[in-house]
Amino acid sequence: MPEPTKKDDGQPEENVAPDSGDAPSENSVVMTPKEAKVATKDTEAIVTVTEAEAAVPMPAAETPQPQPVVIVVTELEPVEGEVTDPQPLVTEPVENGHNEPEPTQAKKHVEVTEVIEEEPGTPKVPAPSMKKSADTKATPIKDKDDDVTASTPSPPPPTEDGSIPKKLSIDLPNDSDPESTRGRKDSVWSLGDGQPPEEIDKQIETPPLSTLLIEKPQSGSINVGGDINFVAKVEAKDLLRKPTIKWFKGKWMDLASKTGKHLQLKESFDRFTKIHTFEMHIIKAKENYAGNYRCEVNYKDKFDSCSFDLEIKEVSDGSQNIDIRSAFKRSSEGQDDAGELDFSGLLKHRQGREHKQEEVPEVDVWEILKNARPDEYEKIAFTYGITDLRGLLKRLKKTKKEEKKSEAFAKRLEPAYQVDKGGKIRLVVDLADPTVELKWYKNGQEIRSTPNNRKYIFEHKGTQRIMVINNCQINDDAAYSVTAGEEKCTTELFVKELPVNIVKKLEPVKTTVNERIELECEVSEEGAKVKWMKNGVEVPTGVRSRYRVKSEGTKHWLIIDDATKDDTGTYSLMATGGTTEAHVQVDLKPLKILMDLQSVTVLLGQPLKLNCEIYPGNVPGRWYKNGQLIQPSERLSIIHRTKNHSLDIECSTIHDAGDYTFVPEGYTQTLSAKVHIIDPPRVHLEALNVPDDTVTVVAGNKLRLEIPISGEPAPRVVWMKGERVILDSGNRVRAETFADHTCLTIDIVEREDTGNYKIVLQNEAGEDTASVKIKVVDIPDPPEAPMVTDVGGDWCTMTWELPRYDGGSPILGYFIERKKKQSSRWMRLNFDLCKETTFEPKKMIEGVPYEVRIFAVNAIGISKPSEPSKPFIPLAVTSEPTMLVVDDVTDTTVTMKWRPPDAIGAAGLDGYQVEYCIEGTDEWILANKELIEKTRYTITGLPVEAKILVRIKAINAAGASPPRTTQHSILVKEVIEPPKIRIPRHLKQTYIRKVGEVVNLVVPFVGKPRPKVNWLKEGQPIDQTISIRNSDCDSIMFIRKAERKHSGKYELSVQVENHIDTAMLDIQIVDLPGPPQAVKIEEVWGNNVALDWNPPKDNGNAPIIGYTIQKADKKTMEWYTCIEHYHRTCITISDLVVGNEYFFRIYSENMVGLSESATATKDSALIVKEGLQLKIPEYNDRDFTEPPIFTQPLINTFAIAGYNATLNCSVRANPRPKVIWMKNKITIIDDPRYRMFSNQGVCTLEIRKPSPFDGGVYTCKAVNELGEAQVDCKLEVKVITQE
């Protein structure tokens, strides 16, 4: 026996396949709801209609004609209809002998009708009605991952006579449920894998009105290996973009991922008709491609779908001719040589590793499989290298099995038996050999006979062997088998459970709380399972539940020991055969007040106790104070002892006074009492939290002085200042009294409100008094106007006096403000208080009048500003003069020079003052009586050889600046300085000028006393046309109009006493050169002429730098330049025109220019014709026009937000094309964010500071009269986030 395998739900599952010797032909309709019922009997989930063989006995009343079988399935769960090949029922045994009951479902009636056509002479027996527990399933043998064979039924093979296999139709009238809630389970398939689903249970629905599809795919049928095309069309007149289409197989499999050599999806669009065409092309179809397909079209909020079927017809059954080991072996996945059922190869589409196969002897594996038991299939597949076990099982299922006659059994067990619960059943087999040992099994476990066990009785009647099962229960619902030698036959027993009826119904109960409630009911069967409900909800019967359930025989009780009012409701008992219910009413017992609450008066701080007595004593209650629920605490306790209820407060407070109420739970009656608390009056000045009971208030503010008071009853309060009583009706000053405090209010506090205030409290319990002092403080008076004592360039010094009144609080400091006299805006100068009465404002503008003022500050605030000071103007003296040096010294004078001060200021500079001091004295003598404006001054009248110090002061309106004094003393004595000529850099070289230009040479020199200057030209005195002007420090040579005779070397001499210094100057006056000499034609050959000449006599006092050669045709005598800046004196002129006669002339050239005249050749040069004939070739003009072509496309670009981005491409076209830029197919026109350039075919689009919204697809389009072209790119703008 095969080992039972465990299912996911914990139930063992036994896989049973047809024996090699037992292959009855049967067609089964398998229904798989959780609970399905036949019209007159409660049939369970699986109903099998069996077409038996001729060996099954048939009642005499029946005739062998087609009989309709009407099955009514009552279940909301999906119903699966399946027409299968000859297969036995595969059942699963029930664990622990019983099944859990399935929940009751809503009912729907489904009629299943089967008409079976038999071959002539074949007897027909009506299918027996069977029952099976809800957990039993029809389970085909499958792999661990075989979802195809598990959920997709296989199509039946053709019969031997070629007739069409029988069909089963399921009619669902008035059934509007979607297909997902009906019986058929959608198949899970893939191209090249799985089997086609059957459409036996598909209902006819009215398709929804199409909103998109104008042509829908139509169902079709093809032979295996054929091609078929399905077409769907969508009209796009109202659509802005292409709709989305999806093709599905079954309910959920998207075919977009299955495209390959067997499936192709195509799309096209007709611009004229505005129609989208979608095609699905199936190539070389296989059997498992058959089934239901669906096409879905989506566009925004629109949706449309269409279903269609594909039928695959088999041409012939070639299963016997297939090499099973090659067909079901995954040799190379996804290749052409893979087996027909090589599913993983077709799905994965990837190269696999090719494994070498071992040579196996020729064996007929089909015969081995057909003769083997199902539990041996995997072993056989492993032995012979068959890896595709799923395909093997499907192909084996199609193979026609040869019926073998049983050698052990003359008559087998029926396929199934049914018996009522409590009844008995006889299982009968007829043996061909009575001597064979017989064994009976239940769910694979052998049934042994024992003397005391009357459950199973075994009988022998001739060749018949009978097993009788007495008192059948739910645990007898199982699979039974009997073995005779090596052979075995199996059957299933279905135990039908009879309904449990209500014999004695529940009776209504009316009682009071805390009483016992018993609900009794009697049913028709002992030990029956019932369910107790309260108001439609199952009653909990756990260990901690208030409800107890008891049963004895057929009687059942529900017991509630201590009833409460919540137990009121409708109680019901549910059995399989009916329901009974009764109403239970629980009322409260009447309330009796034995002792009522009493009102009390308690002194503050004393304990408070309230109590009462009620009946019944076990009734709880709640305490309320002024309508608010009271909760127990450390100070307050609530006690309940039998009939007595009390509330205790250890120390009473004012808040404990009020109306107290006790409310018994569940009753409308209440008990009430009043509590009154008394207390003598008291003033709580400590709540003010002020030192010495003194309250300080700022003048002008509002004072509201609240002082807590206590006392019960509320005391009378009187406020007094001195002997004056403050009334509550006062205007500015008033007193008010409230429940827990008294208040003194002064709307606007004045200085006169300072003083002592007395409070007097009186009530019937006593009297109390207290005193409060009020101190009024104010801001100080403004100080007097400040005085400015000193003024600088951008600063001043100011002082002021203390204010007359400090406001009752010490002066903390002062704020200073200033403003320009013409302005009205004051500016604060210090933000930290100035503690002193002097201040030095800074950073003022020179020459601008200013005013200042003062604010006094105390703890209360800032005073009003003082009167402004008198206006003052900040002025500053200049800085000291700079660079004071001695310019000249004689025997009686000293000349000084200096530079103006670096900083002059707004006051300006009036002049300078020069002072000197003779060394050895401290007296400074003023050299100039009046201010001088020049920065050079000569001090006269000094003693000879005296030593003096000199200082200079700059004077303006602010006064004299700091003096600048010489560092060393100056000797008053003239000093001889040897002469020195300082030739400028440009005169150290030859000085060149053109004839007629001006010559102006300045030669500086030094020497003291004044030197004597002398000019010579080449040792001779200079010409009278040259002007010489001398000074103390330089000498000037001036020539108004230079001539060539002025060229030469000039000598300058400077002499001081015996000291002489000389210098040489070279002057060159240049002019235009003369013409060349002896220009002649040396030789003429071909179209070449050789010329020769001599340099000019006069070079213009400058070197000849080149020659210019010109030619002229004798006919026109128009001169043309052949060459310029030619350096040599001979040249060959080429490329002359044959037949022409030429003259030549030459100009000489120096640094001034060309000579005024040229020297021409006396003879002419004739270029002789040599009889050559020039043949001009013919050329065809090239057509350069072409349509636009982009030689460099646009490139996808990433840009950074805020930084300019450019897109570049290049286009070639003739004529020049018009370039159009587009963003997202929209032309960019006059948008300031974009700049477009086009230069030499390079097109550029600049995007200024792009943002993420500028991202998209950009297009450059070039158009000319010959055509157009365009390129696209994608621009993505990224935003850089700063972390």
Side-chain angles (χ1 to χ4, degrees):
M1 294 296 292
E3 186 68 16
T5 59
K6 287 291 182 178
K7 299 197 304 176
D8 293 339
D9 57 358
Q11 299 293 339
E13 177 183 0
E14 181 179 6
N15 296 331
V16 181
D19 247 355
S20 60
D22 185 13
S25 175
E26 64 178 6
N27 292 328
S28 62
V29 180
V30 183
M31 306 296 177
T32 59
K34 292 183 179 179
E35 187 174 332
K37 297 184 179 180
V38 183
T40 58
K41 300 178 181 180
D42 295 335
T43 305
E44 291 295 335
I46 299 178
V47 180
T48 306
V49 181
T50 307
E51 179 187 355
E53 295 178 330
V56 180
M58 180 177 64
E62 297 295 334
T63 59
Q65 60 182 357
Q67 294 292 330
V69 180
V70 180
I71 303 172
V72 178
V73 183
T74 308
E75 178 59 47
L76 184 61
E77 297 294 328
V79 179
E80 175 179 341
E82 178 180 359
V83 179
T84 65
D85 287 335
Q87 292 286 341
L89 284 176
V90 181
T91 64
E92 59 183 24
V94 181
E95 190 176 27
N96 299 328
H98 68 277
N99 283 338
E100 290 297 325
E102 292 295 324
T104 304
Q105 303 290 338
K107 296 183 178 182
K108 180 192 292 186
H109 296 281
V110 181
E111 293 185 1
V112 182
T113 304
E114 179 183 17
V115 178
I116 304 173
E117 295 181 0
E118 295 292 338
E119 297 179 2
T122 303
K124 168 80 170 54
V125 178
S129 176
M130 293 166 292
K131 176 187 172 190
K132 194 171 182 300
S133 62
D135 288 344
T136 306
K137 296 181 182 177
T139 309
I141 299 174
K142 61 178 181 178
D143 277 352
K144 180 180 178 180
D145 56 349
D146 191 359
D147 58 346
V148 178
T149 59
S151 61
T152 308
S154 302
T159 59
E160 293 179 356
D161 59 354
S163 62
I164 305 301
K166 292 172 285 298
K167 296 184 178 180
L168 177 66
S169 62
I170 298 179
D171 188 14
L172 301 176
N174 300 325
D175 187 7
S176 61
D177 290 345
E179 191 174 0
S180 61
T181 63
R182 300 202 303 274
R184 185 175 64 80
K185 207 183 237 184
D186 291 318
S187 62
V188 179
W189 78 292
S190 64
L191 290 178
D193 194 359
Q195 296 194 22
E198 295 293 340
E199 304 298 334
I200 59 175
D201 59 347
K202 188 167 73 173
Q203 71 172 10
I204 301 174
E205 297 181 354
T206 301
L209 182 61
S210 175
T211 59
L212 292 173
L213 290 171
I214 60 174
E215 181 178 332
K216 301 181 179 179
Q218 302 298 324
S219 300
S221 63
I222 55 173
N223 293 329
V224 175
D227 299 346
I228 190 170
N229 195 30
F230 296 97
V231 180
K233 294 185 178 181
V234 178
E235 188 172 9
K237 289 183 179 180
D238 300 330
L239 309 183
L240 299 179
R241 57 179 176 82
K242 184 183 74 175
T244 303
I245 189 168
K246 291 185 179 180
W247 299 86
F248 293 92
K249 173 71 166 65
K251 282 278 183 87
W252 58 270
M253 178 168 288
D254 191 352
L255 299 182
S257 61
K258 308 297 181 183
T259 55
K261 65 180 182 178
H262 292 284
L263 176 66
Q264 295 180 1
L265 303 178
K266 298 181 179 179
E267 300 178 1
S268 60
F269 178 67
D270 192 338
R271 295 179 179 272
F272 300 100
T273 59
K274 303 293 184 183
I275 291 178
H276 291 277
T277 303
F278 304 93
E279 301 181 20
M280 181 178 73
H281 192 198
I282 298 177
I283 305 170
K284 296 181 182 180
K286 299 184 180 181
E287 293 180 3
N288 54 350
Y289 292 4
N292 178 256
Y293 290 77
R294 188 172 77 258
C295 170
E296 291 186 357
V297 181
N298 287 280
Y299 178 78
K300 292 186 178 180
D301 55 347
K302 296 182 180 180
F303 173 80
D304 200 357
S305 65
C306 173
S307 297
F308 55 94
D309 299 326
L310 174 61
E311 180 182 358
I312 306 297
K313 299 179 180 179
E314 291 188 0
V315 178
S316 62
D317 188 7
S319 61
Q320 299 298 330
N321 300 326
I322 296 177
D323 183 3
I324 184 172
R325 285 177 291 175
S326 62
F328 295 100
K329 189 176 297 181
R330 298 187 178 103
S331 58
S332 56
E333 299 176 350
Q335 300 299 318
D336 294 337
D337 60 348
E340 180 185 358
L341 301 177
D342 190 5
F343 311 122
S344 62
L346 293 174
L347 287 173
K348 296 179 182 176
H349 294 285
R350 59 185 177 87
Q351 288 288 345
R353 298 180 180 176
E354 297 185 359
H355 301 278
K356 295 183 179 180
Q357 302 180 5
E358 298 179 359
E359 294 184 0
V360 181
E362 294 295 333
V363 178
D364 190 355
V365 184
W366 283 115
E367 292 299 328
I368 297 175
L369 290 173
K370 284 189 280 188
N371 297 328
R373 295 195 308 273
D375 61 321
E376 297 177 349
Y377 288 166
E378 291 187 10
K379 181 178 179 181
I380 295 172
F382 178 77
T383 302
Y384 293 97
I386 298 172
T387 57
D388 193 354
L389 185 58
R390 292 182 294 176
L392 180 145
L393 294 177
K394 290 188 292 182
R395 187 53 66 93
L396 183 63
K397 196 173 181 181
K398 299 179 182 179
T399 306
K400 200 71 175 182
K401 296 184 179 178
E402 297 180 1
E403 298 181 1
K404 293 184 179 180
K405 187 175 180 180
S406 174
E407 297 178 357
F409 296 100
K411 178 183 176 183
R412 293 175 174 272
L413 292 173
E414 296 294 337
Y417 295 87
Q418 179 174 342
V419 65
D420 292 338
K421 183 179 179 182
K424 72 176 182 177
I425 186 68
R426 294 163 58 88
L427 305 181
V428 182
V429 296
D430 198 349
L431 297 177
D433 184 5
T435 63
V436 174
E437 181 182 359
L438 200 70
K439 291 184 180 180
W440 294 85
Y441 296 89
K442 173 185 176 182
N443 289 338
Q445 301 293 328
E446 184 178 358
I447 304 173
R448 300 181 184 274
S449 174
T450 58
N452 297 329
N453 185 5
R454 304 298 299 171
K455 178 72 175 179
Y456 301 100
I457 300 175
F458 300 95
E459 300 177 357
H460 292 191
K461 291 183 180 181
T463 60
Q464 288 186 345
R465 300 293 183 265
I466 305 170
M467 182 178 67
V468 180
I469 305 175
N470 293 316
N471 191 19
C472 291
Q473 299 298 325
I474 294 299
N475 56 1
D476 294 322
D477 189 304
Y480 293 84
S481 61
V482 58
T483 61
E486 296 296 329
E487 295 189 25
K488 179 178 71 172
C489 64
T490 61
T491 187
E492 289 196 47
L493 176 61
F494 297 89
V495 179
K496 180 181 178 182
E497 187 175 1
L498 298 177
V500 178
N501 298 322
I502 305 297
V503 176
K504 179 182 178 182
K505 297 185 177 181
L506 297 175
E507 296 181 356
V509 176
K510 186 174 183 181
T511 183
T512 58
V513 295
N514 304 325
E515 299 294 336
R516 177 186 174 91
I517 300 176
E518 287 190 5
L519 296 176
E520 181 182 355
C521 177
E522 186 175 354
V523 297
S524 61
E525 183 179 340
E526 292 185 5
K529 292 186 177 181
V530 297
K531 185 183 293 186
W532 289 93
M533 311 286 286
K534 175 187 176 183
N535 298 329
V537 181
E538 185 175 358
V539 174
T541 58
V543 178
R544 298 183 179 182
S545 175
R546 299 178 58 254
Y547 303 94
R548 290 190 300 111
V549 176
K550 184 175 71 172
S551 62
E552 292 180 2
T554 59
K555 293 185 179 181
H556 295 263
W557 288 271
L558 177 65
I559 302 173
I560 305 174
D561 290 327
D562 189 7
T564 64
K565 197 170 183 180
D566 294 335
D567 294 326
T568 300
T570 300
Y571 291 79
S572 60
L573 180 138
M574 295 179 59
T576 57
T579 303
T580 178
E581 63 180 25
H583 184 74
V584 175
Q585 180 66 39
V586 180
D587 296 326
L588 297 173
K589 294 181 180 180
L591 182 68
K592 295 181 180 179
I593 300 175
L594 304 180
M595 185 177 70
D596 201 352
L597 290 176
Q598 302 295 327
S599 299
V600 294
T601 300
V602 180
L603 188 64
L604 181 68
Q606 297 299 318
L608 169 64
K609 185 172 183 180
L610 298 175
N611 56 24
C612 63
E613 292 184 4
I614 59 175
Y615 176 82
N618 58 352
V619 176
R622 295 186 178 183
W623 290 86
Y624 293 86
K625 173 192 168 187
N626 298 329
Q628 298 294 326
L629 179 64
I630 300 175
Q631 298 291 347
S633 62
E634 296 180 358
R635 192 178 63 88
L636 185 147
S637 59
I638 297 175
I639 302 172
H640 175 203
R641 292 190 182 95
T642 63
K643 303 177 184 179
N644 187 275
H645 295 264
S646 63
L647 183 146
D648 295 338
I649 300 176
E650 296 180 359
C651 182
S652 61
T653 65
I654 293 295
H655 303 289
D656 293 330
D659 295 332
Y660 287 77
T661 304
F662 176 75
V663 180
E665 186 174 341
Y667 294 89
T668 59
Q669 295 175 273
T670 61
L671 292 78
S672 300
K674 288 188 177 182
V675 174
H676 183 60
I677 306 295
I678 61 174
D679 184 28
R682 183 184 173 193
V683 180
H684 301 277
L685 284 181
E686 64 275 6
L688 290 178
N689 195 20
V690 293
D692 301 331
D693 296 335
T694 301
V695 177
T696 303
V697 63
V698 179
N701 291 346
K702 180 178 180 179
L703 173 64
R704 182 178 177 86
L705 186 62
E706 295 182 355
I707 300 176
I709 60 174
S710 61
E712 188 65 28
R716 175 175 174 268
V717 181
V718 178
W719 283 82
M720 302 179 65
K721 182 182 180 184
E723 299 298 329
R724 181 171 61 89
V725 177
I726 301 174
L727 304 177
D728 57 358
S729 59
N731 292 330
R732 190 176 66 87
V733 181
R734 59 186 178 277
E736 298 173 290
T737 301
F738 300 94
D740 57 348
H741 67 278
T742 180
C743 177
L744 174 65
T745 303
I746 304 176
D747 288 338
I748 300 176
V749 178
E750 298 176 355
R751 297 179 182 178
E752 291 77 12
D753 294 327
T754 300
N756 290 327
Y757 292 78
K758 185 178 180 181
I759 311 169
V760 179
L761 272 65
Q762 293 179 347
N763 71 353
E764 60 186 25
E767 178 179 340
D768 190 17
T769 61
S771 179
V772 177
K773 182 179 180 181
I774 295 178
K775 179 182 178 182
V776 179
V777 294
D778 199 357
I779 61 175
D781 289 343
E784 298 291 336
M787 295 179 293
V788 178
T789 59
D790 195 6
V791 176
D794 61 346
W795 57 272
C796 71
T797 301
M798 54 186 295
T799 61
W800 61 90
E801 299 294 335
L802 294 174
R804 296 179 181 176
Y805 173 66
D806 60 1
S809 178
I811 299 296
L812 301 178
Y814 302 90
F815 285 120
I816 297 92
E817 290 184 350
R818 79 174 181 213
K819 76 174 184 67
K820 297 177 184 178
K821 183 178 180 181
Q822 298 82 1
S823 174
S824 59
R825 186 175 65 89
W826 290 90
M827 182 178 68
R828 179 161 293 182
L829 301 181
N830 62 320
F831 293 97
D832 295 330
L833 290 175
C834 177
K835 306 296 183 179
E836 306 295 333
T837 57
T838 61
F839 188 75
E840 185 176 314
K842 296 181 179 180
K843 296 183 180 180
M844 291 185 285
I845 302 174
E846 289 186 53
V848 177
Y850 285 91
E851 294 178 348
V852 292
R853 66 181 184 183
I854 309 298
F855 293 85
V857 181
N858 65 0
I860 308 305
I862 303 174
S863 70
K864 293 182 180 180
S866 68
E867 292 294 327
S869 66
K870 294 181 180 181
F872 62 94
I873 301 175
L875 291 175
V877 297
T878 65
S879 62
E880 59 186 13
T882 59
M883 300 179 66
L884 175 63
V885 295
V886 178
D887 188 42
D888 192 15
V889 179
T890 65
D891 291 340
T892 58
T893 63
V894 173
T895 303
M896 306 295 296
K897 63 179 181 180
W898 61 90
R899 297 188 63 83
D902 293 334
I904 295 178
L909 178 61
D910 296 337
Y912 299 96
Q913 188 176 33
V914 182
E915 295 178 335
Y916 68 92
C917 174
I918 298 176
E919 188 176 20
T921 64
D922 295 332
E923 180 183 2
W924 287 93
I925 302 171
L926 182 63
N928 56 327
K929 304 300 183 182
E930 296 180 358
L931 296 178
I932 59 174
E933 296 180 359
K934 294 181 180 182
T935 58
R936 187 172 184 274
Y937 185 75
T938 301
I939 304 175
T940 60
L942 297 175
V944 179
E945 296 184 357
K947 293 183 179 181
I948 63 171
L949 294 174
V950 181
R951 69 180 184 184
I952 310 296
K953 294 181 181 179
I955 308 300
N956 65 0
S961 70
R964 168 71 70 177
T965 306
T966 56
Q967 296 181 356
H968 306 286
S969 59
I970 303 171
L971 177 62
V972 184
K973 181 180 180 181
E974 190 170 8
V975 179
I976 297 175
E977 180 180 355
K980 179 66 176 176
I981 301 174
R982 297 176 178 176
I983 300 177
R985 184 184 298 274
H986 67 282
L987 295 180
K988 292 181 179 180
Q989 301 175 357
T990 302
Y991 185 77
I992 301 174
R993 282 291 181 267
K994 295 180 182 180
V995 173
E997 291 184 349
V998 175
V999 176
N1000 188 11
L1001 303 179
V1002 179
V1003 181
F1005 56 83
V1006 294
K1008 290 185 180 181
R1010 181 174 178 174
K1012 295 180 181 180
V1013 180
N1014 186 28
W1015 285 88
L1016 297 174
K1017 178 183 178 183
E1018 297 177 357
Q1020 301 297 325
I1022 60 176
D1023 195 295
Q1024 296 297 326
T1025 58
I1026 300 175
S1027 300
I1028 301 296
R1029 282 176 284 181
N1030 299 321
S1031 67
D1032 294 343
C1033 60
D1034 58 21
S1035 177
I1036 300 174
M1037 174 189 288
F1038 180 77
I1039 304 174
R1040 188 176 299 277
K1041 188 175 181 181
E1043 298 177 2
R1044 290 181 64 179
K1045 65 179 182 179
H1046 294 148
S1047 299
K1049 293 185 178 181
Y1050 292 80
E1051 180 182 357
L1052 171 64
S1053 61
V1054 179
Q1055 182 178 0
V1056 176
E1057 295 183 355
N1058 296 327
H1059 303 280
I1060 300 175
D1061 189 17
T1062 60
M1064 297 296 294
L1065 301 179
D1066 188 5
I1067 298 177
Q1068 182 180 357
I1069 307 301
V1070 297
D1071 197 0
L1072 294 175
Q1077 299 181 25
V1079 178
K1080 59 183 177 180
I1081 298 174
E1082 290 288 339
E1083 186 180 0
V1084 178
W1085 76 97
N1087 57 353
N1088 303 312
V1089 174
L1091 300 178
D1092 188 24
W1093 66 91
N1094 295 328
K1097 292 182 179 180
D1098 183 11
N1099 62 1
N1101 202 24
I1104 300 298
I1105 61 175
Y1107 299 92
T1108 298
I1109 298 93
Q1110 294 181 347
K1111 66 180 179 180
D1113 189 1
K1114 185 177 181 181
K1115 297 177 183 179
T1116 61
M1117 288 307 293
E1118 294 181 358
W1119 293 96
Y1120 297 93
T1121 301
C1122 297
I1123 190 170
E1124 294 179 326
H1125 312 301
Y1126 187 73
H1127 299 286
R1128 301 173 63 184
T1129 59
C1130 61
I1131 189 171
T1132 300
I1133 307 298
S1134 304
D1135 298 332
L1136 298 176
V1137 179
V1138 177
N1140 289 354
E1141 187 175 358
Y1142 293 94
F1143 287 94
F1144 298 91
R1145 68 181 183 184
I1146 300 174
Y1147 290 91
S1148 59
E1149 182 180 6
N1150 65 1
M1151 61 183 297
V1152 180
L1154 295 176
S1155 60
E1156 294 180 352
S1157 62
T1159 303
T1161 58
K1162 296 180 180 180
D1163 300 329
S1164 62
L1166 177 62
I1167 307 303
V1168 181
K1169 298 180 181 180
E1170 297 182 358
L1172 298 177
Q1173 185 176 1
L1174 179 62
K1175 184 177 180 180
I1176 302 175
E1178 296 180 0
Y1179 297 94
N1180 294 327
D1181 294 336
R1182 175 184 174 90
D1183 185 11
F1184 289 92
T1185 60
E1186 64 176 341
I1189 298 175
F1190 281 91
T1191 59
Q1192 177 65 34
L1194 292 173
I1195 300 175
N1196 293 340
T1197 305
F1198 290 87
I1200 304 300
Y1203 295 85
N1204 291 358
T1206 57
L1207 304 178
N1208 299 285
C1209 63
S1210 61
V1211 64
R1212 185 177 73 241
N1214 191 11
R1216 183 177 179 181
K1218 178 182 179 182
V1219 179
I1220 301 173
W1221 286 90
M1222 293 179 286
K1223 175 189 175 185
N1224 297 330
K1225 305 302 181 183
I1226 299 176
T1227 304
I1228 300 174
I1229 301 175
D1230 297 333
D1231 193 334
R1233 294 179 302 165
Y1234 301 91
R1235 288 202 305 173
M1236 290 166 277
F1237 308 94
S1238 179
N1239 185 17
Q1240 298 296 325
V1242 178
C1243 305
T1244 303
L1245 175 66
E1246 181 181 359
I1247 307 171
R1248 299 182 178 179
K1249 296 183 179 179
S1251 64
F1253 301 99
D1254 292 324
V1257 178
Y1258 285 82
T1259 304
C1260 181
K1261 184 176 182 182
V1263 182
N1264 69 359
E1265 59 191 24
L1266 298 179
E1268 64 181 38
Q1270 68 178 31
V1271 289
D1272 299 328
C1273 76
K1274 184 177 180 181
L1275 175 65
E1276 182 176 348
V1277 181
K1278 293 185 177 181
V1279 179
I1280 299 179
T1281 59
Q1282 297 182 357
E1283 299 182 355

